[in-house]
Amino acid sequence: MKNIFDEMHAPNGGTRAHYAPFQDWLSLMPPSHIAQKRSEADSAFHRYGITFAVYGEDAGKERLIPFDIVPRIIPASEWALLERGLCQRVNALNAFIHDIYGAQRIVNAGLVPAEQVFCNAQYRPEMQGVAVRNDIYAHIAGIDIVRASLPGQEAAYYVLEDNLRVPSGVSYMLEDRRMMMRLFPELFGRYKVRPVDHYPDLLLDTLRQAAPAGVDDPTVVVLTPGAYNSAYFEHAFLAQQLGVELVEGKDMFVHDETLFMRTTQGPRRVDVVYRRIDDDFLDPLAFRSDSALGVAGLLSVYRAGRVTLANAIGTGVADDKSIYPYVPDMIRFYLSEEPILSNVPTYQCRKPDELSYVLANMEQLVVKETHGAGGYGMLVGPASTQAEISAFRERVKANPDKYIAQPTLALSACPTFVESGIAPRHIDLRPFVLSGREVRMAPGGLTRVALKAGSLVVNSSQGGGTKDTWVLEE
């Protein structure tokens, strides 16, 4: 793939200025020392239980998300641009969700087709007209960013995906930083790296701000599906970092339109639920009746304004890939601003002319299910066989509304330690954006890396790894 932006090396082969101190340090490190430190990191992650389970593997089997010791370094000026663009985008997304469950101005204006909203699997009619505290739906957003080169253009940052339902990965952002500081404290003497360890404080403050009206000292909990969930480590980690209870649905009950949790001192009212459970499983009386993960009657408490859910029910309608192409229009419509960060050009297969183009050019495109996540349900055309492309083409023909397509991006690459030594691997970035009285974020995010040579799939469920993300001070 041509025109790949190298995060560390300039086109002339030299080292970019913000990586120069790291390159100097690395040149002094014997390979045996690096290998020892990598082994220490693996052992520590195992010891601390920082593991990830993928559905479909043997029951109880877990594995590490590989951790790479070459950091992804972002200069202050670049981060300032990203921060402005991300805050702008999340403000517009929150305005959109509030609008579609209320006045529906953007639909009435014809900017977003009604069927794209109201026929969306993530749209929840139960939320229509529900007053949400402070009009905030996505309290926690994980926005996937890539630096890439489009044909005829310089490499730039693009938004690849919006994650607004139950965005995950922030625990690895925090643990990767702790691991780098433990293994290589001398490196932090060469750089002024902005800290991220205050993220739990920002998150707790955001959740407390979201408490129902009249609640001055809210009780906050983290709601998990349980220990067999692939992200259970993160649920337990965040509850511990926030200093709040980690609960399952069976630990709570509804009485008199109030949510309580069971404690050894008796029932205790719950005011804010940071939920890590999808909408379908939150309340068996309102959604899936076979769910044993949620709390019967939770929706009634929510509708009465006596509990806040972060993120709100129905938020997923805004992170569906079929809605993604309209986010720039949302920014213009709600904020009267031009988008700071661009979308990746996207073909909507529901449109006949764009479908024809996708079917004819599938070998050059990335085709995704609109409801897909985790790297599943997608085709990377240049990396697929003719048989795979033909089979996927038939799937798209059968249900074009369920697919979008994008150019195969030349994702930027960062040097990464692999079995053969140091080699470039493709990366992305997931910053975490918190919406309360103001929109805030920790400087950095989760950098994911595709460990297979040439692979563009960075998802941990597909074998990707992680890097520490360093945002430099001015």
Side-chain angles (χ1 to χ4, degrees), residues 167-317:
S168 63
V170 74
S171 61
Y172 299 101
M173 174 188 82
L174 297 171
E175 289 290 9
D176 286 356
R177 174 61 55 83
R178 291 178 182 177
M179 187 59 65
M180 284 296 288
M181 294 183 76
R182 175 182 172 178
L183 295 178
F184 308 111
E186 70 277 11
L187 257 179
F188 291 86
R190 296 175 177 243
Y191 281 97
K192 292 182 178 179
V193 181
R194 293 181 62 184
V196 295
D197 57 357
H198 62 297
Y199 174 85
D201 296 331
L202 293 179
L203 175 58
L204 182 60
D205 186 52
T206 299
L207 295 172
R208 289 176 61 86
Q209 290 178 22
V215 178
D216 297 325
D217 187 20
T219 295
V220 179
V221 300
V222 176
L223 175 60
T224 177
Y228 292 106
N229 183 266
S230 64
Y232 180 73
F233 159 75
E234 176 157 296
H235 306 164
F237 174 88
L238 287 174
Q240 187 272 331
Q241 292 292 303
L242 296 174
V244 304
E245 294 293 332
L246 178 68
V247 299
E248 298 181 34
K250 63 187 178 184
D251 300 322
M252 298 191 290
F253 66 93
V254 168
H255 176 70
D256 194 23
E257 287 196 328
T258 305
L259 181 66
F260 295 91
M261 67 174 165
R262 298 177 175 89
T263 76
T264 54
Q265 287 80 39
R268 180 179 179 184
R269 176 175 169 172
V270 174
D271 305 297
V272 181
V273 178
Y274 177 21
R275 53 98 170 204
R276 301 299 295 258
I277 295 178
D278 286 338
D279 290 352
D280 285 342
F281 302 98
L282 280 172
D283 183 349
L285 299 183
F287 304 114
R288 283 187 53 160
S289 60
D290 61 344
S291 173
L293 301 177
V295 185
L298 179 59
L299 180 61
S300 66
V301 183
Y302 190 43
R303 292 176 65 93
R306 296 180 61 80
V307 72
T308 296
L309 300 179
N311 287 342
I313 294 172
T315 300
V317 70

